[in-house]
Structure formats: structure tokens, C-alpha cells
Amino acid sequence: MKNNIEDMTLEEVQYLIKRIEKGTLDESRDKEESQKKKENGQRLVLKLIEEFGELAENIRKNMRFDGQNIKGTIEEEVFDVFYYIVAIANYHEIDLEKIFY
Ligand SMILES: [Mg+2]
């Protein structure tokens, strides 16, 4: 894993998001594992749809990142959509670099 986020490969970004999302899964380890895993997969899709809605709103309002505060901007929501796309790929054990090529 590289120290600079700018130098990260897609594979490394995917691994990083997998580590972040694993925390969410670990919380539910003891409670009906497979049902919780399925619910987590559905949660990721619902979050993606939610983030698309936020992206649409910020595009409609033309809210751009000014270099100071990214909250409520198109840039923030593009990242959020990307994050959940990667998390969904991880959930289904899809290697994004492999399918990209
Ligand atoms: Mg968002």
C-alpha cells in the first residue's frame, strides 16, 4: 500500500474500501451471519442510490468544490458514488482491475 493516496492503484483503493467496510460486517458477526451479510449487501445498494440522489441535487444546483469545503458539492457526491460502487464490487468479490481491462 502506497503512502500517497494520489499514487494508489484501483486495486489498492478497492482493498482500502474493503477494510473500511469490513468494520461494518464485524459488528454483526455474532448475529445470524448470513442474514446480516445479505442485509449489508442490500444496504450498500441503497446507499449507492441515496448518493446518486445527492449527486443529482448538487449537479442541479451546480455546487462545485471551491478548494476549501467539499461538503455538499458535486465532487463529494462523485466520490461517494465511487465509494459505494467499489464497496458493492467488494461485496460480490469482483476484482475491478480485472474487469476494467
Ligand atoms: Mg453523499
Side-chain angles (χ1 to χ4, degrees):
M1 185 82 55
K2 303 206 174 55
N3 291 329
N4 278 339
I5 201 153
E6 300 87 22
D7 298 330
M8 289 176 73
T9 65
L10 181 55
E11 183 182 14
E12 290 166 336
V13 169
Q14 190 167 7
Y15 179 77
L16 181 63
I17 291 174
K18 184 182 280 183
R19 303 318 321 154
I20 294 168
E21 286 295 318
K22 193 173 180 303
T24 310
L25 271 181
D26 284 347
E27 288 169 12
S28 59
R29 179 162 281 168
D30 298 333
K31 301 180 226 164
E32 300 159 20
E33 184 74 16
S34 71
Q35 179 62 24
K36 287 289 172 188
K37 190 168 186 279
K38 185 178 168 192
E39 285 173 11
N40 193 48
Q42 292 169 347
R43 177 189 66 85
L44 294 174
V45 174
L46 291 174
K47 283 296 297 178
L48 176 62
I49 294 166
E50 183 180 313
E51 297 301 345
F52 266 122
E54 292 172 0
L55 175 61
E57 181 181 3
N58 291 349
I59 288 173
R60 181 176 57 78
K61 293 178 178 173
N62 193 30
M63 302 292 287
R64 299 304 307 257
F65 178 47
D66 61 4
Q68 300 294 318
N69 187 8
I70 201 166
K71 293 301 277 179
T73 64
I74 294 169
E75 286 81 354
E76 178 192 22
E77 302 312 334
V78 165
F79 172 79
D80 289 349
V81 167
F82 173 74
Y83 178 96
Y84 284 105
I85 292 280
V86 174
I88 289 166
N90 285 338
Y91 178 82
H92 293 283
E93 297 178 350
I94 294 166
D95 181 336
L96 284 174
E97 272 194 347
K98 200 171 174 182
I99 64 163
F100 180 84
Y101 292 113

